[in-house]
Amino acid sequence: SGVVHVKNPHLEAMDEDILYHLDLGTKTHNLPEMFGDIKFVCVGGSPNRMRAFAQFLRQELGLAGDGEELADICAGTDRYAMYRAGPVLSVSHGMGIPSISIMLHELIKLLHHAKCRDVTIIRIGTSGGLGVETGSVVITDTALDSSFKPRFEQVVLGEVVVRSTELDKDLAEELLACSKEIPDFPTLIGHTMCTYDFYEGQGRLDGALCSFSSEKKLEYLRRAYEAGVRNIEMESTAFAALCGLCGLRGES
């Protein structure tokens, strides 16, 4: 039906839902009026990058102003930043699964309370390429964990919950088709591997700790490539799992 689902029966019994880390709430803000016509949400790690992206979108959409006057909707908190450009929200999510998970829980509730429909959410971020040309854009079809499995594992009340990390294949193909209009960026569809760590988790040799040899690193990266991995980052499994469960058309 295009609606944004929240899979939490407790929300209906709450007198007020406070989106703590976005500095928004159902009593303090008219969320349907503020966000009801949102159709696209683009998320990325850096607040400055997402502000610049919103300014770029305003120019592309032909909106009035030069974008310098863009206000941070979440200015009352220093956790995340949110900007609007017409029907598009540009939101920062910080670095890593814990940070993006907190933001997505509150963003999805925001879209639900605002009665948004047919929302597409796209994560835009830097990543480490694997066997691809430098500067390539990798469109994720499936997010994999560090064992090359399409799953997101989370411990809930002491038990491991496993969730699917499939992303919208049709949206991936649409984005690939759009990329043909931009010749400066080689673009491909592939698996994205999500890790919990930037250093040892991604096989880097320059962290404060390193428990493996360069030969072991290369052997692991070869196995990742053979499993279809074309880039490595730290948010995609949580992103894919939450979007899929809540009825959001998502791509990373």
Side-chain angles (χ1 to χ4, degrees):
S1 61
V3 298
V4 179
H5 304 290
V6 288
K7 304 261 179 121
N8 182 355
H10 303 288
L11 290 180
E12 292 184 10
M14 294 170 54
D15 183 52
E16 179 181 12
D17 190 6
I18 301 173
L19 311 177
Y20 299 99
H21 304 89
L22 301 182
D23 193 39
L24 296 168
T26 53
K27 278 194 171 181
T28 54
H29 298 80
N30 187 334
L31 299 180
E33 182 178 287
M34 292 174 67
F35 302 104
D37 59 343
I38 290 295
K39 293 298 181 184
F40 297 91
V41 181
C42 296
V43 303
S46 162
N48 288 339
R49 188 186 306 151
M50 299 320 291
R51 184 175 191 273
F53 182 70
Q55 291 174 325
F56 169 77
L57 281 178
R58 288 183 64 85
Q59 293 177 352
E60 290 294 302
L61 295 172
L63 301 177
D66 58 7
E68 289 301 320
E69 74 286 357
L70 266 180
D72 179 4
I73 298 169
C74 302
T77 176
D78 60 356
R79 299 296 183 184
Y80 304 104
M82 179 187 293
Y83 301 95
R84 176 163 184 163
V88 185
L89 283 183
S90 180
V91 191
S92 70
H93 59 59
M95 186 180 293
I97 285 174
S99 185
I100 193 174
S101 176
I102 294 167
M103 187 280 290
L104 283 174
H105 272 275
E106 297 186 14
L107 172 67
I108 290 167
K109 291 197 297 175
L110 165 64
L111 297 173
H112 170 75
H113 292 312
K115 306 185 187 309
C116 296
R117 302 179 70 91
D118 302 316
V119 177
T120 296
I121 180 168
I122 299 174
R123 196 192 88 78
I124 305 167
T126 56
S127 62
L130 189 57
V132 299
E133 182 181 347
T134 301
S136 295
V137 175
V138 178
I139 301 170
T140 308
D141 55 2
T142 304
L144 307 182
D145 66 12
S146 297
S147 299
F148 319 137
K149 302 294 185 183
R151 65 190 180 191
F152 173 56
E153 292 187 349
Q154 182 165 2
V155 178
V156 179
L157 300 182
E159 296 187 4
V160 176
V161 176
V162 180
R163 289 164 174 159
S164 171
T165 55
E166 296 285 335
L167 285 160
D168 192 300
K169 299 292 194 297
D170 291 337
L171 179 55
E173 292 293 343
E174 287 179 36
L175 292 173
L176 183 64
C178 290
S179 74
K180 308 301 182 186
E181 302 174 13
I182 311 173
D184 296 333
F185 297 97
T187 305
L188 65 148
I189 294 176
H191 298 343
T192 295
M193 184 170 74
C194 181
T195 70
Y196 285 93
D197 168 55
F198 183 82
Y199 285 99
E200 285 190 299
Q202 297 189 17
R204 286 184 167 84
L205 303 174
D206 59 345
L209 300 173
C210 187
S211 56
F212 46 82
S213 66
S214 58
E215 290 78 16
K216 281 287 187 181
K217 166 190 173 173
L218 292 174
E219 190 272 332
Y220 176 71
L221 294 180
R222 276 194 293 269
R223 287 195 290 122
Y225 185 85
E226 290 167 2
V229 173
R230 294 298 176 266
N231 67 326
I232 304 171
E233 46 84 273
M234 296 190 293
E235 294 89 19
S236 58
T237 52
F239 174 84
L242 278 164
C243 289
L245 284 169
C246 295
L248 283 166
R249 192 178 187 221
E251 187 51 66
S252 176

